[in-house]
Amino acid sequence: MIAYAAFARSGFLTSLAYRNEVWANIFGKLVQVFARVAIWLAVYAGVTAVDGISISDMITYALLGGVVMGATRYDRIVRQVGNALKTGDVAIWLLKPVHYPLYLLAIEAGMSAYTFLLAVVPTIAIVALIYGMQPPASLLHGLMFVGFCALSFIIHFLCAAIFGVLAFWLMTVFSLEWLLQSLISLLSGLLIPFWFFPEPFGTIASHQPLAWLVYYPSAVWLGRLDMGATLLYFGIGLAWAGLLATVLALLWHRASSRITVQGG
């Protein structure tokens, strides 16, 4: 565990070395969040609420989407695996006393912590000062939101790592990256919350693993789930994380076997 903690620290310090990127990240995230807020302001023009959801709820939802999705970058994870595969560096990790997927997790944790502290938090603070932001429905909902954010990071990483490892068979990550981007945009709740989806698509979408990236953390913050439902869906999210971790472990085992065979 000490080694992985060192990898996480290395990821944080590596991001710290490129301080000029902070301003670019803040500007980019400001544009994204302002765009999402502007869309909902246009949708709610002249209307105070839609199906019991107020414009204040949707502004807060848009800001929370920036919190839970602003730090972790699926494309960074997929590309890192793709580059290691292309250069052959991935074979070196088979000789080291570390597990490559756990190394990726540690590095991404460090980089995500840096992005969250120096880019996401300032962005949300600026937009919240302009448009306002609702507090959590209760103290318990606020605490559970933190837990759901941690679960969101884990599921986000696992999905990206699975897509990255699939490159061992496809020998490219470009199409995988675009596919994952499309799935996250549609099925995470980032663009449209599932309570606006027509049935049965809303129910189906709310029970697939990507729903835990944005939809459930935001729904918990806004109090759309009571505490019983919050704990239930947190448990379901943990089950999805366990299943995805198993899939990643099996894929990595198969992928590492291919490297061994090809390398003699």
Side-chain angles (χ1 to χ4, degrees), residues 52-67:
I53 308 298
S54 67
I55 181 59
S56 178
D57 291 333
M58 291 314 305
I59 290 176
T60 301
Y61 187 94
L63 293 177
L64 293 174
V67 172

Side-chain angles (χ1 to χ4, degrees), residues 4-251:
Y4 297 113
F7 287 138
R9 181 174 180 272
S10 174
F12 186 92
L13 294 178
T14 298
S15 299
L16 190 63
Y18 299 96
R19 299 180 183 179
N20 290 334
E21 289 188 6
V22 173
W23 300 108
N25 285 333
I26 291 177
F27 177 77
K29 294 184 187 306
L30 278 173
V31 171
Q32 293 175 10
V33 176
F34 273 122
R36 288 199 293 270
V37 171
I39 290 173
W40 289 112
L41 288 174
V43 170
Y44 275 76
V47 179
T48 57
V50 176
D51 292 336
I53 308 298
S54 67
I55 181 59
S56 178
D57 291 333
M58 291 314 305
I59 290 176
T60 301
Y61 187 94
L63 293 177
L64 293 174
V67 172
V68 297
M69 286 289 290
T72 306
R73 289 177 50 187
Y74 62 88
D75 58 320
R76 180 168 57 200
I77 301 169
V78 175
R79 289 174 187 174
Q80 187 168 353
V81 177
N83 290 335
L85 177 62
K86 184 181 299 184
T87 61
D89 289 345
V90 68
I92 300 176
W93 288 98
L94 296 177
L95 304 176
K96 297 183 178 182
V98 295
H99 190 54
Y100 184 62
L102 290 180
Y103 160 77
L104 292 176
L105 176 62
I107 289 292
E108 184 59 31
M111 291 184 171
S112 295
Y114 172 85
T115 305
F116 177 79
L117 292 174
L118 297 182
V120 174
V121 171
T123 298
I124 301 304
I126 292 172
V127 179
L129 286 174
I130 297 175
Y131 291 107
M133 181 178 180
Q134 293 185 15
S138 69
L139 177 60
L140 287 177
H141 281 88
L143 293 175
M144 288 304 299
F145 171 79
V146 176
F148 270 88
C149 284
L151 185 57
S152 171
F153 168 76
I154 296 298
I155 292 178
H156 195 165
F157 167 79
L158 290 171
C159 290
I162 287 172
F163 272 71
V165 173
L166 287 175
F168 282 79
W169 287 268
L170 300 180
M171 302 307 295
T172 179
V173 297
F174 180 77
S175 58
L176 292 168
E177 181 183 335
W178 276 96
L179 175 59
L180 183 57
Q181 178 184 13
S182 300
L183 292 174
I184 288 177
S185 298
L186 178 63
L187 298 178
S188 69
L190 178 63
L191 298 180
I192 303 176
F194 297 142
W195 54 67
F196 287 145
F197 276 36
E199 292 297 341
F201 301 109
T203 300
I204 295 173
S206 65
H207 288 83
Q208 47 77 39
L210 295 179
W212 275 261
L213 298 191
V214 176
Y215 174 74
Y216 281 112
S218 302
V220 168
W221 179 283
L222 292 171
R224 297 288 297 179
L225 301 175
D226 59 34
M227 194 50 57
T230 297
L231 294 174
L232 172 63
Y233 282 103
F234 188 77
I236 296 174
L238 289 175
W240 271 119
L243 178 60
L244 292 171
T246 301
V247 171
L248 176 59
L250 293 174
L251 284 176

